[in-house]
Amino acid sequence: MYGDCQVMMSMGGNIVGEPMFPPSNLNFLHNLPYNSPPVFSSLLTKEDNGALKGKEDELDSKSGSGNIDGGVSEEHEDGEQQQRNPKRKRYHRHSVRQIQEMEALFKECPHPDDKQRLKLSQDLGLKPRQVKFWFQNRRTQMKSQQDRADNVILRAENENLKNENVRLHGAIRNITCPACGGPAILGEMSLDEQHLRIENARLKEELERLNGMATRYAGGRPVHGMVQAPQMMVPSLDLDIGMYTRQYHHEQAPPPPFCPPLCHTSDMMVPHSMPEINPLGTVGLLENDKPLAFDLAMAAMAELLKMSQLNEGLWLQSGGEGREILNVDEYAKSFQWPINHKQELSGWRTEGTRSTVTVIMNSITLVDAFLDANKWMEMFPSIVSKARTVQVITAGLASHGSGSLQLMYAEFQFFTPLVPTREVYFLRYCQQTADGGWVIVDFPVDGISENLQLPLSRYRRRPSGCVIKDMPNGYSRVTWVEHSEVDDKPIHPMFNQIVESGEAFGAQRWATVLQRQCERLASLMAENISDRDLGVMTTLEARRSLMRLAQRMMRIFCINMSGSGGQSWTTLTGGPEDTVRITTRKNTEVGQPIGLILCAITTTWLPVPPHQVFDLLRDDRRRTELDVLSSGSASNEVAHIANGTHTGNCISLYRVNTGGNTPQNVELMLQESCTDPSASLVIYAPIDISSVQMAVTSEDHSYVPLLPSGFIITPRRQPNDPKHAYNGNGISSSNNRGDGCLMTVGVQMLASSNPTANLNFSAVPAINNHLCNAVNQIRAALLAPRDQ
């Protein structure tokens, strides 16, 4: 590990006098009430079950709680009532002072911990159980009050919607036909006929647009009537699930009014198209800019098809690794972009790579994922940190989006803040080819419109994307071309080789991540339990819920451990080659713990192949060798879900065997490991059993708080080794690969439950020591002789 792991004592601010974090990520204790469902019964030992049953009996006999305004937990009745029914419970009414003290604490902390309840009970002369019941009832009352207030608001909104509906109905009745001036009639035809007319008009518009483009490329010769709609390839394996169900706005919109049947213009109507959305607030393309955008889309698609097919001269092999690097000089001779870019490219560097993979997903589902920004982010959680559709220029065909053109924004990330993210605006065009294949091409938006004011960027996406061909049994062959121009910010020397060679943002990484994610989705959609699965997840729904929870954990980790969102990272040590960085963020949203979160990350080079590091970190049997991760506690796997052909691609749920385990508090850890040629990841997060229970029994798991940590292993040769130097095209002069790797350790901890707090100074040396010890123990375990 680079640097001396010393702490730069330069951090100030108000000090939070509360413990920052335990010495290990696995030392987490939760005191949530636990009701053991049948699917989780195997998580508890026989002793736990016995103790739990006794505890439940005790709670059943003491479950009384009164109301919080005056008489709540265990109120005493008068003597006569006690004599008439000696078995009835005796109750005690709280005093005014007791209620005032508990109300004051409730305003500061509605969920006091055991220490707070114990202190309050001693001050007020109450039992801790009485204090606990009072707070439970107070929270119930607050929730009821909030529900009543919400109901009042919803009723008011409902009335407003009813009034708006009446107004719109009246406006529709008064609509006149813009063609003939007569009244528009909605009830003269059936609903099916109305939809057919809408679809017919839209297809006519699409045909006219294609005729116009074809005429321009056919030397002015009209081709009207010769353009045929591309045939939709029927996939042989239906992998389309809810996540990839494409919805189009024009299919859900109400049909427009029509002219009366006697009007000669009854077939004329305004074609219905998708509304243009603009969430970023930037100005989109104007109508007079769209023809040029379509011309560039055709040019970009032709260029991508050529680059995906040509081999000799245009692409150079990188050593013996099978990687293909773009020959920049040959590209300049063969291709020329129709318009000149405004921005000077002095000092910019060109990256061009190509990769081909076979994925277990049909082309229709793949295309659907690329045309939806949210699905695109889910498909590439480790690469795409942000994505938005700024403007839908055209939605294409309703069935599968062929011919669609969108203006998009995206941010691309790597696994460390030491590599800057890349933000870019670009146009994305989708088209089905004559042979049934698909082309998804991205190209720059620069120079298309004077009206389009985009922020300056240090990254430009040249014609890039993928060509998809359907294969038997639902598989697809994807040829990925990644071509860009970039003016890199200063990059840490440890990552220079990975970035300049195109491995960080190149086609191979995109293609291998796509291949792995398709395997994961195929496993998610499987209708039977795999033979490699085991443990308490015995139903398909429980299995899928845990997989979705792990997917969210993976995405949270990748985003928080990169430079996404402009996070400011602080260097802990002063060495020029040190990689230890920390940052804090204030979280107030669900899905992660509320409060001040501390993130720390470090990277070191290891002289061992990547697969050895990956096997060590994901092996729960060797985890006890790393005290800094396990605190010396053993763990056993209670659930295992295989989600890929490689045995390392799996999701596991571990029970951590510690002395703090009780029937109400079982320490669990959710872990996902995945590997592909570009990188290997082992991500884990502590989670309590009640959260797992809620996650697998509810469709919405977004409220389950996750704070993941983990490891990233990236193949890399020995630093500063001249025999592994790269030439101008990013091609390695050595055929050796895998003689070393970069291991990145990322840790997240809840520093304070108060989001407005400042970082405690004592946390800085503690987190530094934690990272140093983790790296040293992993290095020692890897380099130790095998016979030991």
Side-chain angles (χ1 to χ4, degrees):
M1 177 173 176
Y2 295 89
D4 53 4
C5 298
Q6 296 177 353
V7 181
M8 181 184 294
M9 306 298 187
S10 60
M11 303 189 66
N14 298 330
I15 305 302
V16 180
E18 57 182 285
M20 303 303 296
F21 51 87
S24 167
N25 281 341
L26 300 179
N27 292 339
F28 54 93
L29 297 176
H30 302 279
N31 294 314
L32 298 178
Y34 165 69
N35 296 319
S36 176
V39 72
F40 294 105
S41 59
S42 60
L43 292 179
L44 303 178
T45 62
K46 294 181 178 178
E47 293 79 3
D48 291 340
N49 284 322
L52 178 62
K53 188 175 187 307
K55 186 68 176 178
E56 291 174 348
D57 294 341
E58 180 184 355
L59 291 178
D60 289 340
S61 64
K62 302 176 180 180
S63 59
S65 59
N67 85 51
I68 53 175
D69 294 329
V72 207
S73 308
E74 303 184 66
E75 297 184 4
H76 289 284
E77 296 186 350
D78 57 22
E80 294 180 0
Q81 292 176 339
Q82 182 67 27
Q83 292 176 1
R84 289 196 301 267
N85 190 356
K87 293 184 179 181
R88 294 189 62 180
K89 294 182 180 180
R90 301 169 58 192
Y91 293 95
H92 170 75
R93 184 176 298 276
H94 297 312
S95 65
V96 175
R97 175 180 169 273
Q98 290 172 339
I99 295 176
Q100 290 176 347
E101 292 291 334
M102 288 188 287
E103 283 284 358
L105 179 59
F106 182 83
K107 293 179 180 179
E108 299 178 1
C109 179
H111 295 268
D113 54 23
D114 292 341
K115 291 183 179 180
Q116 291 174 307
R117 291 200 299 266
L118 180 60
K119 184 178 183 303
L120 187 62
S121 64
Q122 292 174 350
D123 294 341
L124 301 179
L126 298 173
K127 296 180 181 179
R129 190 174 66 245
Q130 292 177 296
V131 177
K132 176 182 178 181
F133 290 159
W134 189 92
F135 275 89
Q136 288 178 351
N137 294 336
R138 188 70 177 91
R139 289 193 297 268
T140 301
Q141 186 191 48
M142 289 292 294
K143 185 177 184 303
S144 300
Q145 293 173 352
Q146 184 62 41
D147 290 343
R148 287 194 293 270
D150 292 342
N151 288 337
V152 172
I153 296 175
L154 291 175
R155 281 195 294 269
E157 292 180 354
N158 188 33
E159 289 298 325
N160 292 336
L161 291 175
K162 288 181 179 179
N163 295 334
E164 181 69 12
N165 189 27
V166 172
R167 186 187 66 79
L168 292 176
H169 276 291
I172 289 176
R173 285 193 295 268
N174 297 326
I175 289 178
T176 59
C177 176
C180 62
I185 300 177
L186 291 175
E188 294 292 333
M189 61 185 68
S190 67
L191 184 62
D192 291 339
E193 186 178 355
Q194 293 178 12
H195 283 298
L196 289 175
R197 286 175 177 266
I198 295 172
E199 183 69 6
N200 185 43
R202 194 190 60 76
L203 291 175
K204 285 181 180 179
E205 181 197 26
E206 179 72 8
L207 180 61
E208 292 298 328
R209 185 181 65 81
L210 293 176
N211 280 332
M213 290 189 296
T215 301
R216 288 194 294 270
Y217 286 95
R221 291 179 285 112
V223 291
H224 182 74
M226 299 177 60
V227 179
Q228 297 181 357
Q231 295 182 354
M232 175 180 173
M233 295 296 296
V234 179
S236 54
L237 177 62
D238 184 12
L239 296 181
D240 198 5
I241 60 171
M243 176 182 175
Y244 292 101
T245 302
R246 184 165 179 80
Q247 300 292 338
Y248 289 89
H249 297 286
H250 60 269
E251 294 177 348
Q252 300 174 358
F258 293 91
C259 299
L262 296 179
C263 179
H264 296 290
T265 59
S266 60
D267 291 334
M268 298 177 59
M269 55 179 289
V270 179
H272 190 72
S273 60
M274 291 184 66
E276 296 180 355
I277 55 176
N278 196 354
L280 293 182
T282 58
V283 178
L285 297 181
L286 300 179
E287 284 298 326
N288 56 354
D289 299 324
K290 293 180 180 180
L292 177 58
F294 279 110
D295 289 343
L296 293 179
M298 295 296 105
M301 182 177 67
E303 179 176 321
L304 180 64
L305 285 172
K306 279 187 177 181
M307 294 181 70
S308 66
Q309 297 167 0
L310 295 178
N311 293 314
E312 186 174 354
L314 185 62
W315 298 99
L316 304 175
Q317 296 293 323
S318 176
E321 306 161 7
R323 295 178 62 246
E324 294 180 308
I325 307 296
L326 180 67
N327 187 334
V328 179
D329 296 333
E330 186 66 25
Y331 172 83
K333 298 176 184 177
S334 305
F335 302 96
Q336 184 176 4
W337 192 240
I339 60 176
N340 295 323
H341 298 301
K342 295 181 180 180
Q343 194 170 354
E344 293 292 334
L345 298 182
S346 176
W348 286 48
R349 180 173 53 82
T350 298
E351 290 183 7
T353 52
R354 184 175 72 172
S355 182
T356 301
V357 294
T358 300
V359 301
I360 181 172
M361 184 172 288
N362 62 69
S363 61
I364 301 299
T365 309
L366 282 173
V367 169
D368 182 56
F370 281 102
L371 295 182
D372 188 294
N374 292 326
K375 297 174 184 177
W376 187 42
M377 286 191 294
E378 290 297 323
M379 184 67 80
F380 300 94
S382 60
I383 302 179
V384 184
S385 56
K386 298 178 183 177
R388 295 184 180 92
T389 301
V390 180
Q391 181 185 19
V392 178
I393 300 171
T394 179
L397 297 181
S399 55
H400 44 59
S402 178
S404 68
L405 182 62
Q406 303 176 358
L407 174 61
M408 301 187 70
Y409 160 83
E411 181 186 56
F412 304 139
Q413 64 184 357
F414 196 60
F415 298 112
T416 172
L418 301 178
V419 175
T421 59
R422 298 180 174 183
E423 296 184 78
V424 62
Y425 287 85
F426 59 93
L427 288 164
R428 171 165 291 179
Y429 181 69
C430 169
Q431 182 64 55
Q432 189 176 32
T433 58
D435 60 354
W438 289 87
V439 178
I440 306 290
V441 60
D442 301 340
F443 57 96
V445 70
D446 308 52
I448 295 180
S449 173
E450 296 290 340
N451 185 60
L452 192 62
Q453 301 296 327
L454 300 177
L456 293 178
S457 175
R458 305 170 69 94
Y459 171 74
R460 178 180 296 143
R461 193 165 173 80
R462 297 300 299 271
S464 305
C466 57
V467 178
I468 307 171
K469 301 286 186 180
D470 270 310
M471 298 178 65
N473 301 325
Y475 285 74
S476 299
R477 185 172 180 83
V478 179
T479 300
W480 198 293
V481 175
E482 194 67 22
H483 186 199
S484 60
E485 295 162 332
V486 59
D487 180 17
D488 284 322
K489 298 177 182 178
I491 299 176
H492 195 280
M494 184 172 288
F495 293 94
N496 263 335
Q497 174 184 321
I498 295 177
V499 175
E500 292 180 1
S501 65
E503 296 179 31
F505 299 98
Q508 185 185 30
R509 185 178 174 214
W510 283 93
T512 54
V513 170
L514 174 65
Q515 187 178 41
R516 174 166 50 81
Q517 283 295 109
C518 287
E519 288 186 357
R520 193 184 194 281
L521 290 171
S523 177
L524 177 68
M525 292 179 284
E527 294 297 332
N528 56 348
I529 302 294
S530 171
D531 294 337
R532 292 186 291 167
D533 293 354
L534 55 88
V536 297
M537 301 300 162
T538 56
T539 65
L540 283 175
E541 288 305 318
R543 182 180 184 273
R544 290 170 179 170
S545 297
L546 194 67
M547 291 184 68
R548 295 188 184 99
L549 187 65
Q551 171 80 355
R552 184 164 67 87
M553 176 183 69
M554 179 74 67
R555 178 164 181 77
I556 291 174
F557 177 82
C558 292
I559 292 178
N560 292 340
M561 292 302 161
S562 70
S564 176
Q567 297 184 80
S568 177
W569 292 78
T570 302
T571 306
L572 285 190
T573 58
E577 295 183 337
D578 184 72
T579 63
V580 181
R581 301 287 190 276
I582 66 169
T583 187
T584 58
R585 68 179 188 277
K586 299 176 180 179
N587 181 63
T588 57
E589 299 179 357
V590 297
Q592 299 182 61
I594 304 299
L596 181 69
I597 297 178
L598 171 65
C599 302
I601 192 170
T602 186
T603 302
T604 187
W605 184 78
L606 298 174
V608 293
H611 68 86
Q612 291 188 13
V613 185
F614 180 65
D615 291 340
L616 170 67
L617 295 175
R618 71 182 184 87
D619 189 353
D620 61 298
R621 294 171 299 180
R622 300 189 62 185
R623 189 180 296 274
T624 53
E625 300 178 22
L626 310 175
D627 292 338
V628 72
L629 301 179
S630 64
S631 300
S633 301
S635 60
N636 60 293
E637 190 177 40
V638 296
H640 180 96
I641 300 174
N643 58 9
T645 55
H646 192 285
T647 56
N649 292 333
C650 63
I651 298 170
S652 300
L653 186 66
Y654 292 98
R655 169 174 171 150
V656 184
N657 301 320
T658 65
N661 276 344
T662 65
Q664 296 81 23
N665 181 29
V666 177
E667 294 192 13
L668 300 175
M669 183 182 70
L670 178 63
Q671 175 178 297
E672 177 166 1
S673 59
C674 57
T675 182
D676 58 57
S678 65
S680 301
L681 291 86
V682 179
I683 313 300
Y684 58 91
I687 186 170
D688 59 81
I689 193 170
S690 59
S691 296
V692 177
Q693 176 186 350
M694 289 186 293
V696 300
T697 56
S698 173
E699 295 182 359
D700 182 17
H701 56 77
S702 59
Y703 54 85
V704 176
L706 293 174
L707 198 59
S709 302
F711 305 88
I712 304 110
I713 305 104
T714 309
R716 192 206 165 179
R717 302 170 187 85
Q718 186 174 2
N720 303 322
D721 190 343
K723 71 178 181 178
H724 299 298
Y726 282 79
N727 60 28
N729 281 319
I731 302 176
S732 172
S733 59
S734 170
N735 292 340
N736 298 325
R737 181 178 175 85
D739 54 348
C741 64
L742 292 177
M743 182 187 68
T744 300
V745 184
V747 176
Q748 295 190 92
M749 297 178 179
L750 183 63
S752 172
S753 58
N754 181 11
T756 61
N758 293 324
L759 181 63
N760 193 322
F761 180 78
S762 63
V764 178
I767 190 63
N768 193 32
N769 292 335
H770 181 85
L771 291 175
C772 292
N773 292 337
V775 172
N776 292 334
Q777 289 186 7
I778 293 172
R779 185 188 297 271
L782 290 169
L783 301 181
R786 293 180 179 274
D787 55 350
Q788 292 185 0

